[in-house]
């Protein structure tokens, strides 16, 4: 199936049992270099609207795998190679990679089942996002209508975490995760891809360079 064309596509059994165990074990590997972020969303990706009563942020642990900052860097070659196999499986391996990272969030004292983390987008018109759920837990991913500059934006879809499940969606879609309430942690893999690269070197007037896919 061509998941690229679906605004929001949920894929169960995105990974086989062996792959699921590999990713779970990678997060408890003694050499895994996690970073503690005080917030779940960088300010640059937030919607800018600050008047949503149900929105609440919390700390999270992040395991970087790849980022395209200058210079681009693969932080974990073994994880990167295994994730690249998954991208090839769904015909997205020829997209440019913006970032790949694991996020782990935990129950937060102020959060209830009605709360969600900051609403944000991952990119623009030519971007695709993948959220892969590493473990079985609560803490849904919520998707919102485009008009989110209001106290209670409308939820248009929600995806519950399930080990081996992935959701692929347009990165411009406003979305937010929820803190787990009944589970000890919510573990996800976050991948952001894009189809075109800004062309700053060629003098042909073309603004974007297309990927091979």
């Amino acid at each position: 199936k061509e998941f690229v064309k679906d605004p929001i596509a949920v894929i169960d059994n995105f990974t086989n049992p062996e792959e699921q165990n590999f990713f779970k074990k990678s997060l408890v590997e003694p050499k895994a270099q996690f970073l503690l972020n005080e917030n779940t969303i960088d300010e640059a990706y937030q919607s800018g609207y600050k008047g949503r009563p149900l929105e609440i942020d919390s700390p999270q642990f992040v395991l970087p795998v790849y980022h395209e900052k200058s210079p681009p860097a693969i932080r974990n070659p073994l994880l990167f190679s295994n994730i690249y196999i998954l991208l090839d499986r769904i015909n997205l391996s020829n997209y440019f990679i913006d970032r790949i990272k694991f996020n782990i969030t935990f129950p937060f004292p102020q959060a209830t089942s009605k709360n969600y983390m900051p609403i944000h987008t991952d990119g623009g018109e030519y971007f695709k996002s993948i959220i892969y759920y590493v473990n079985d837990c609560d803490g849904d991913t919520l998707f919102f209508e485009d008009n989110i500059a209001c106290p209670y934006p409308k939820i248009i879809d929600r995806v519950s975490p399930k080990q081996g499940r992935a959701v692929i969606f347009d990165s411009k879609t406003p979305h937010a995760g929820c803190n787990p309430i009944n589970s000890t942690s919510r573990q996800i893999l976050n991948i952001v891809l894009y189809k075109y690269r800004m062309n700053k070197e060629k003098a042909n007037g073309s603004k974007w360079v297309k990927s091979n896919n």
Side-chain angles (χ1 to χ4, degrees), residues 164-183:
R165 172 177 289 170
V167 55
I168 304 174
F169 57 96
D170 293 335
S171 298
K172 63 181 180 180
T173 305
H175 59 283
C178 298
N179 286 91
I181 302 297
N182 301 311
S183 305

Side-chain angles (χ1 to χ4, degrees), residues 32-67:
Q33 297 182 347
F34 279 92
L35 305 174
L36 175 62
N37 286 359
E38 294 184 357
N39 304 299
T40 58
I41 305 298
D42 291 338
E43 187 174 348
Y45 297 101
Q46 293 189 31
S47 67
Y49 185 83
K50 303 296 184 182
R52 288 185 284 266
L54 298 180
E55 193 174 80
I56 187 170
D57 207 353
S58 64
Q60 71 173 358
F61 283 104
V62 176
L63 177 62
V65 178
Y66 174 88
H67 67 77

Side-chain angles (χ1 to χ4, degrees), residues 8-11 129-133 141 143 159 165-169:
I8 302 174
V10 177
I11 311 172
S129 294
I130 302 172
I131 295 175
Y132 168 75
Y133 300 101
T141 302
F143 296 91
V159 178
R165 172 177 289 170
V167 55
I168 304 174
F169 57 96

